Amino acid sequence: MDSATTNPLRAAAEANPYLRWRAAHMARFALAEKPDQRPPEALLQRVWLYQRLLADRLQTTDGRKVRILHPGFWNHEPGPDFRRAVIQFAGEPPVCGDVEIDLVPGGWEQHGHARNAAYRDVILHVTWEPQTTPASVGTTSATTNALPLPRASLALKHALDSTLPELSFWLGLEPKPAPEGLAGKCSAPLRTLPAETVNQVLRQAAHARLLRKAELLQARARQHGWEAALREGLFGALGYKRNVWPMRRLAELLPMALGDLRELAPDNETSNHHDSVFTLQARLMGLAGLLPGELPKSVEYFRRAWDLWWREADRFAEQKLPPGIWNLGGIRPANHPQRRVATAAHWSLRKGMFQELDRWLERTIESPDLVASLTEILQVRHDEFWSYHWTLKSARFPRPQPLLGEQRITDLAVNVVLPWLYVRALSGRNETLANGAESRYFHWPAGEDNSVLKLARQRLFGGVSARFLKSAVHQQGLLQIIRDFCDHSDSTCTGCQFPDLLAAAAAVGSGR
């Protein structure tokens, strides 16, 4: 049976002209369905970056379970593939170090890593094929005067969350650091295209981005269920790009942290509800390592949280996130993880929140009211402490401030909520709801401008104003084009095929 017939998400992708062109002209990542085929190392790196893995199958070659708390930061300079990953091996505290990825275990010697001091801090050697004769931890390589071997080796061949062809299709063109530069080669043809043709290209690229996000959520749902996939996505989005992984880890730990709180706390404004929210906030911040060691300005809240966490810390000791996993440099106080964890605690105790999202999709809502209507569901109406503080150390506001701003609601909508509703409807063969989610995605108002969008406008349109991007779908389309094309070329657009796609779009638009 054809894969598109059995997978509605893949069928939607194959109906998208942008993705059809991309698949036809960028086949270098394509893989046949061969059981003994190795993936390109570049694909394996992307699998690791996005953790497209079955967590319960991650085991070192010497039989120890592995938990990936943070995959590390992709290194595009000489040295290990990922820097500063946080890994926990069974029975040991989490450790921070580098990760090197090779197709075969012998790559450690073949590529000269054993004699290169840049690889001294590698704690995990990730391979496609398993190591047949596991080496002892801390032993040296066979090469004379070589570095000690990494702490462990981990094979991914039997731990992928999807097939190689599926992963090749969805991850084959993922981002690398964006190039610096002025207007690209596509800028001139874009200026000559009719506005409607440009709009169609942007919409198709935005749809490709919707499908990619939907597929990631679908992969998580296959492992943990739809509600857990949404919760993980929402938590990760609250972490922004700097703290996605620790927030996702807290989402994984949430069932344990909740315990019986959901049953004890009615979903209203009673004292029991407030107590349960506070208890969950204290547990999550304790697990996250976000309770400061010194006395902050918020003395009462802090002391209550520490008293609660101190009594329960031993019970959660093995799951506590390690120091240093949070990236707090340059974060605005309003976006501090402490406040985002507090928001997530409210969501976690909201009974029927997932059903509210279902009903929201079924309602008839005009475009200008989309943000307000979703805000009614996601916004935390009031928190006795966090409505008046950015962080535990900040002074109290004279007036309460919302825990989620309009921009954050837009980010949650286009990156998590709508892709989740869309793919769940597709999986349930509910075409009406899938069309509804897609329609809201295409009509969502534009979000906040950012540095990536500014670069995209410079590269593609010669620096047009942000007012050109009238909706979120235009922004999403630009981001997808940057990731599909600009991120795979240099500042002079060497080898970039986006102008060819524009020529094909122009030919279709003119009827040629």
Side-chain angles (χ1 to χ4, degrees):
M1 184 178 294
D2 185 87
S3 62
T5 305
T6 58
N7 187 338
L9 196 61
R10 186 61 181 267
E14 292 178 359
N16 182 317
Y18 177 97
L19 283 173
R20 286 203 309 270
W21 190 96
R22 194 185 82 173
H25 292 79
M26 295 189 169
R28 64 184 182 276
F29 287 105
L31 292 171
E33 190 72 83
K34 297 179 181 179
D36 59 345
Q37 185 169 11
R38 295 173 183 168
E41 189 169 313
L43 178 60
L44 208 59
Q45 291 171 335
R46 288 163 173 81
V47 166
W48 181 259
L49 175 68
Y50 290 95
Q51 287 295 290
R52 296 302 306 272
L53 304 167
L54 299 172
D56 58 353
R57 294 190 186 179
L58 297 182
Q59 186 171 316
T60 65
T61 50
D62 58 3
R64 291 175 292 162
K65 288 286 186 181
V66 182
R67 181 181 295 156
I68 313 302
L69 303 182
H70 194 301
F73 300 96
W74 201 357
N75 174 35
H76 298 277
E77 302 298 327
D81 291 306
F82 290 85
R83 299 281 195 182
R84 292 166 34 217
V86 183
I87 313 292
Q88 186 171 26
F89 302 102
E92 300 180 24
V95 291
C96 181
D98 300 337
V99 173
E100 174 62 16
I101 296 178
D102 290 307
L103 290 180
V104 295
W108 184 259
E109 294 281 351
Q110 295 165 10
H111 300 158
H113 305 329
R115 300 178 63 84
N116 187 337
Y119 292 80
R120 185 178 301 278
D121 295 326
V122 171
I123 57 173
L124 186 64
H125 189 208
V126 175
T127 63
W128 174 248
E129 302 286 353
Q131 189 172 5
T132 54
T133 55
S136 300
V137 173
T139 61
T140 58
S141 150
T143 307
T144 306
N145 298 323
L147 299 172
L149 290 169
R151 179 183 291 257
S153 178
L154 172 69
L156 302 185
K157 186 173 184 177
H158 301 295
L160 304 182
D161 68 11
S162 300
T163 66
L164 277 179
E166 287 175 329
L167 289 171
S168 174
F169 184 81
W170 294 108
L171 300 180
L173 291 169
E174 280 304 309
K176 293 188 291 186
E180 299 287 343
L182 301 175
K185 289 182 179 178
C186 56
S187 180
L190 273 170
R191 286 196 298 269
T192 64
L193 285 177
E196 181 56 30
T197 302
V198 174
N199 183 58
Q200 285 300 318
V201 171
L202 287 175
R203 287 174 65 87
Q204 291 166 14
H207 186 244
R209 191 168 174 83
L210 170 66
L211 292 172
R212 181 179 66 82
K213 293 179 183 298
E215 194 273 339
L216 290 171
L217 288 162
Q218 184 185 61
R220 300 304 293 173
R222 282 198 294 260
Q223 295 185 55
H224 306 295
W226 286 110
E227 288 195 9
L230 176 62
R231 183 165 52 241
E232 210 174 278
L234 290 173
F235 274 51
L238 288 181
Y240 302 85
K241 63 181 180 181
R242 295 172 181 247
N243 292 303
V244 171
W245 289 104
M247 287 298 296
R248 282 182 57 172
R249 178 59 184 154
L250 287 181
E252 293 174 356
L253 296 174
L254 182 64
M256 179 189 64
L258 273 172
D260 58 355
L261 289 178
R262 196 187 293 271
E263 286 69 36
L264 294 176
D267 193 17
N268 53 41
E269 296 304 310
T270 67
S271 59
N272 283 344
H273 176 75
H274 290 310
D275 289 345
S276 295
V277 168
F278 173 79
T279 298
L280 185 57
Q281 288 175 348
R283 286 177 181 174
L284 289 177
M285 286 192 200
L287 281 165
L290 291 174
L291 291 175
E294 72 279 5
L295 196 67
K297 295 178 181 179
S298 54
V299 175
E300 181 182 356
Y301 181 95
F302 172 75
R303 282 179 174 166
R304 287 176 59 210
W306 253 117
D307 286 346
L308 190 151
W309 175 247
W310 180 79
R311 294 194 299 270
E312 300 186 332
D314 288 346
R315 179 155 62 99
F316 299 117
E318 290 189 7
Q319 285 76 33
K320 183 179 177 181
L321 300 187
I325 197 170
W326 297 94
N327 185 348
L328 304 180
I331 290 182
R332 291 185 295 176
N335 299 334
H336 196 282
Q338 290 171 344
R339 203 163 193 258
R340 296 313 181 194
V341 168
T343 302
H346 279 274
W347 284 346
S348 304
L349 287 169
R350 282 268 304 279
K351 295 178 180 177
M353 179 173 164
F354 302 105
Q355 290 73 20
E356 287 183 59
L357 290 173
D358 283 335
R359 291 193 293 271
W360 175 75
L361 182 58
E362 294 168 357
R363 290 163 51 195
T364 300
I365 303 172
E366 298 300 325
S367 178
D369 298 321
L370 284 174
V371 177
S373 62
L374 185 60
T375 300
E376 291 177 6
I377 299 173
L378 297 181
Q379 185 63 272
V380 175
R381 291 173 177 80
H382 184 75
D383 184 284
E384 293 179 343
F385 179 83
W386 292 103
S387 292
Y388 297 90
H389 296 81
W390 296 134
T391 70
L392 284 170
K393 295 184 178 181
S394 67
R396 181 181 173 87
F397 310 142
R399 291 179 299 277
Q401 299 293 324
L403 269 71
L404 292 171
E406 184 175 304
Q407 175 55 38
R408 185 52 25 190
I409 296 292
T410 287
D411 289 344
L412 290 168
V414 298
N415 291 315
V416 183
V417 174
L418 290 172
W420 181 78
L421 289 168
Y422 175 70
V423 71
R424 201 159 64 104
L426 279 183
S427 299
R429 309 286 175 172
N430 191 325
E431 187 173 338
T432 299
L433 287 181
N435 290 338
E438 189 176 65
S439 175
R440 292 190 182 184
Y441 178 79
F442 280 115
H443 288 91
W444 205 271
E448 192 175 55
D449 200 26
N450 58 46
S451 59
V452 179
L453 287 170
K454 290 175 183 176
L455 171 64
R457 298 199 308 276
Q458 181 67 52
R459 298 285 287 162
L460 274 65
F461 296 100
V464 298
S465 167
R467 288 176 294 182
F468 167 77
L469 306 177
K470 298 178 181 179
S471 69
V473 76
H474 288 139
Q475 295 175 321
Q476 294 294 303
L478 273 182
L479 291 173
Q480 186 65 32
I481 291 167
I482 283 285
R483 280 150 175 74
D484 280 351
F485 295 96
C486 300
D487 288 353
H488 294 273
S489 183
D490 56 25
S491 58
T492 61
C493 303
T494 303
C496 181
Q497 298 186 55
F498 186 57
D500 296 336
L501 184 149
L502 294 176
V508 171
S510 65
R512 295 201 300 272

